[in-house]
Amino acid sequence: MFSTNVVSKAINLWESVLGSSKVLMTHGLSHRGYAKKKDDGCRRACADIPLEKDPVCPIPCDRRGKKKEGILHRIKLRLIDGGTNFGTPFRYLQDDKCVCKEIEVPEPKALPAPVEEKPCIQETRSGMQVAVLGADTSIGQYVALLLKQCPCIKKLRLYEARDTSTGCCRELCQVVHDLQHIDTNCLVQAYSCACHDLERCLQNSDIVLMLESGYLSMDMPMETRFNYQAPIVKKYADAIAKECPNAFILVCASPIDCMVPLVAETLKETGWYNPRKLLGSLAVPEMRASTLAARALSLEPCYVNVPCVGGTEGDALVPLFSKALEYFEFSEKNAEMMTNTVRCASEAVAKSDCNCVRSAELSEAHALAGLVTKVAWALLCRDVPQLSGFVETDPCQIISPARFIANVVEITGTGIIRSVGLPKISDSEIRRVDIALNELYRKQKMTMDWYTKYCSSTPNLDSCQVNFFTTRHYQHFDDCAYGSI
């Protein structure tokens, strides 16, 4: 009986096991299914048959190819190659005819090779050619020494205006050989009036500096200095009109108040007059006035600038000490005293010196070299300086009886572009300017009379040159020539 119950229970257990297996098999067959091809009779799972492409919504493989790859996607692909895919089926079993394109991982771009820094080589820049007329004097040699060190000057031509074989200065050729030893790229050349080299010296010059041709002293009368210097300056102006009519002319031969109108009239006669390129120098009195004001104020001279208006010497010179320092003004008595000091500075130095040579040569050479340097940089378009100069007046700005007056101007590559005119000045300075204008009118009238008398015909000019070059002798010249006897 016991055995019969055991057998019946075992039969029931097996029947239940077999029943559950049939249910599982039936459920699996209902969801898996099989497909049969007519050609080869091979039966494969539906999962192995490639899905039809939907033109509206592509399969995930195609969407992945259009998606922009980011840094996280690159990291995921690298992990897939290493054996893990974070549970995402990136690779599908597909038919041979429809193979999903593998995603190409762009190779990381290498950094560009470092560029070797080449040494910075400064480009060769253009320079100016400067002709110094009257370089046989000591002041001309000092100016040449300072200009030789200027980086904006490529060629320096020195002209000997008078025979110095018996003078008290060195020969110009010796000076040039000496200057060539200075370690700069400026080429220095010498020319002499004995060889008629004036035209050669002026050829293709950009700046012409007219210095005094002789040892003239400021204690001489103004008419004496003018009669001696006028024929020489007239000859210089004629040569400039022939060889370098576009050059910037700096007139430093005293009296400058008379020489600038003389050069202008000569150039007008030849048809090459350009008021933008003719300037009379006020560098020396401006330097003296600025230095004197700086000492009175106990300041550095570089912080003080005293412009000069009117003329260049004597009563025509008016230093504007009211413009020396902003928000400061000298008393009327102190300004008058300093004005007289600046006007008589050359005579004071001449009295303390011997009767041989021109006085204050070193300071004047420093001022003239600074003026030439400023003009050279301006013509090279490297700077637009403002400086005091004796130029032709603009009737729209200044109404005066004198055609030429000293005031502040601006210089660029084309020359003088603007005349600033007279600034706002004090009452005492206005009175000095009125006196200066009358003095300038007198000097310019004397210049025009001389030009009309001697330059109307060539024989008159030749006789004037003979008169002032041969028959006249000055005590200063004799002392200079025969000081060693």
Side-chain angles (χ1 to χ4, degrees), residues 202-462:
L202 292 173
Q203 286 179 357
N204 302 323
S205 295
D206 300 312
I207 300 175
V208 179
L209 178 64
M210 291 186 184
L211 299 179
E212 293 184 353
S213 302
Y215 294 95
L216 297 177
S217 179
M218 295 300 295
D219 58 353
M220 291 182 179
M222 189 270 298
E223 292 79 4
T224 303
R225 290 184 283 117
F226 172 77
N227 291 331
Y228 178 81
Q229 199 69 35
I232 305 175
V233 173
K234 176 67 169 57
K235 182 180 178 182
Y236 289 163
D238 291 332
I240 290 173
K242 293 179 181 179
E243 300 298 334
C244 54
N246 294 322
F248 196 97
I249 305 173
L250 294 174
V251 181
C252 303
S254 66
I256 300 176
D257 303 338
C258 300
M259 295 298 111
V260 174
L262 179 60
V263 173
E265 291 299 325
T266 304
L267 295 177
K268 285 181 181 179
E269 183 182 358
T270 59
W272 286 104
Y273 175 60
N274 185 2
R276 295 179 179 273
K277 294 193 174 182
L278 179 61
L279 179 73
S281 172
L282 270 87
V284 177
E286 187 175 358
M287 174 192 64
R288 289 169 176 165
S290 300
T291 304
L292 185 61
R295 290 179 180 176
L297 297 172
S298 299
L299 295 175
E300 291 289 338
C302 59
Y303 300 119
V304 180
N305 182 29
V306 179
C308 296
V309 298
T312 60
E313 62 180 39
D315 295 336
L317 175 63
V318 182
L320 301 180
F321 286 100
S322 61
K323 302 298 179 182
L325 194 65
E326 193 174 4
Y327 307 114
F328 179 83
E329 186 174 355
F330 290 97
S331 64
E332 183 177 354
K333 183 177 180 180
N334 291 337
E336 183 178 0
M337 181 180 61
M338 289 190 295
T339 300
N340 295 331
T341 303
V342 174
R343 290 175 176 177
C344 303
S346 300
E347 298 177 4
V349 179
K351 291 179 182 179
S352 63
D353 200 351
C354 62
N355 296 326
C356 180
V357 296
R358 180 183 173 89
S359 60
E361 293 175 342
L362 295 175
S363 59
E364 291 182 8
H366 172 76
L368 296 180
L371 174 63
V372 175
T373 303
K374 290 180 181 179
V375 173
W377 283 120
L379 295 180
L380 290 174
C381 299
R382 304 294 179 85
D383 191 12
V384 184
Q386 283 191 354
L387 49 90
S388 299
F390 191 75
V391 296
E392 187 174 1
T393 58
D394 187 357
C396 298
Q397 291 183 342
I398 301 175
I399 300 176
S400 68
R403 288 178 46 240
F404 294 84
I405 189 173
N407 58 349
V408 180
V409 296
E410 291 182 357
I411 303 177
T412 59
T414 58
I416 302 172
I417 60 171
R418 188 169 71 95
S419 178
V420 179
L422 297 177
K424 185 178 179 180
I425 55 181
S426 61
D427 296 337
S428 59
E429 291 173 345
I430 291 176
R431 291 193 297 269
R432 297 190 190 99
V433 170
D434 291 338
I435 299 174
L437 293 179
N438 295 328
E439 183 69 15
L440 288 175
Y441 177 76
R442 183 183 71 84
K443 291 181 179 180
Q444 294 174 17
K445 186 177 183 302
M446 181 188 67
T447 303
M448 295 304 300
D449 294 341
W450 183 92
Y451 186 84
T452 304
K453 178 180 179 181
Y454 291 104
C455 297
S456 58
S457 61
T458 305
N460 291 340
L461 181 60
D462 294 339

Side-chain angles (χ1 to χ4, degrees), residues 141-199:
Q141 297 173 11
Y142 297 148
V143 170
L145 172 63
L146 297 175
L147 294 181
K148 179 68 168 66
Q149 307 172 48
C150 182
C152 61
I153 298 177
K154 67 177 181 179
K155 187 177 292 186
L156 186 62
R157 294 182 171 183
L158 308 180
Y159 178 72
E160 186 179 42
R162 60 191 292 269
D163 187 11
T164 58
S165 59
T166 59
C168 62
C169 64
R170 301 169 60 189
E171 293 184 1
L172 191 61
C173 292
Q174 298 177 356
V175 174
V176 170
H177 286 302
D178 194 2
L179 293 176
Q180 291 290 0
H181 292 226
I182 300 177
D183 55 346
T184 59
N185 293 328
C186 179
L187 177 63
V188 185
Q189 297 175 342
Y191 298 88
S192 175
C193 64
C195 302
H196 306 283
D197 289 339
L198 179 59
E199 288 75 11

